[in-house]
Amino acid sequence: EAGVVQSPRYKIIEKKQPVAFWCNPISGHNTLYWYLQNLGQGPELLIRYENEEAVDDSQLPKDRFSAERLKGVDSTLKIQPAELGDSAVYLCASSPLSGAGELFFGEGSRLTVL
Amino acid sequence: GENVEQHPSTLSVQEGDSAVIKCTYSDSASNYFPWYKQELGKGPQLIIDIRSNVGEKKDQRIAVTLNKTAKHFSLHITETQPEDSAVYFCAAIYDKVIFGPGTSLSVIP
């Protein structure tokens, strides 16, 4: 069974440029998460989807971040415009159950903003 | 508030020795406490979890203990091996999963 797939693995952009990350969850997992992981810290939730509905986006900086999960399968996280402080790893995870249980993480997308 | 504290932040042990990582959580956490291992360049992976109806759970060389009265839980790794070197995160479930800040474990051959 394929795991959570994320792309790109690495992205280097200049500040004020846009960037997008893509995630394909494990087949059959209705819940999808985007996490932000700064260096030396634990993952922090940005947004959680139940199917195509964003049920928790309270930590998503909506002035520059947006996300979508059309058709309730894969998802895209966008930043526009990127700032220096956005340099981090963006992790996608999925789970078969909402709110509890094991999260299955992708390998992450490392963003460097110059 | 929703908070998970984790200690130590870094830990070095000799191969074969034991390693212990401790976490505390605040009042409103739910009854499920997972532990994740993150290797360099990879995403976190669940290694063991515990629910509040048990005080201890063991899986080969790793074990987790839970003290709900004191609101803390611990990860124990025995007979450590170099491949145990990684960052370990505890977590608690509030209305969402809250991760601790992580412990970087180094096992010295």
Side-chain angles (χ1 to χ4, degrees), chain A residues 32-100:
Chain A
L32 183 146
Y33 311 77
W34 282 103
Y35 280 88
L36 166 70
Q37 187 174 29
N38 287 305
L39 188 64
Q41 298 183 25
E44 300 172 28
L45 182 68
L46 289 172
I47 190 168
R48 174 167 64 98
Y49 282 93
E50 295 294 339
N51 298 304
E52 64 273 12
E53 181 182 0
V55 297
D56 185 353
D57 64 355
S58 57
Q59 302 303 310
L60 189 71
K62 299 180 184 63
D63 57 335
R64 298 183 300 106
F65 287 64
S66 64
E68 61 182 14
R69 191 185 184 195
L70 300 176
K71 301 181 182 179
V73 181
D74 57 347
S75 176
T76 302
L77 177 69
K78 298 179 181 178
I79 308 174
Q80 182 172 10
E83 297 179 352
L84 296 176
D86 296 332
S87 295
V89 175
Y90 293 84
L91 292 165
C92 179
S94 69
S95 68
L97 296 173
S98 171

Side-chain angles (χ1 to χ4, degrees), chain A residues 9 35 37 40-45 48 56 58-59 91 99-108, chain B residues 30 32 34 36 38 41-46 49 51 89 93-102:
Chain A
R9 288 294 316 279
Y35 280 88
Q37 187 174 29
Q41 298 183 25
E44 300 172 28
L45 182 68
R48 174 167 64 98
D56 185 353
S58 57
Q59 302 303 310
L91 292 165
E102 181 176 3
L103 300 183
F104 295 80
F105 283 89
E107 295 192 318
Chain B
S30 77
Y32 175 70
Y36 285 80
Q38 186 174 27
K42 301 283 185 67
Q45 183 176 14
L46 181 76
D49 54 19
R51 298 187 184 274
F89 295 97
I93 311 298
Y94 295 92
D95 58 347
K96 52 182 173 284
V97 180
I98 301 293
F99 288 87

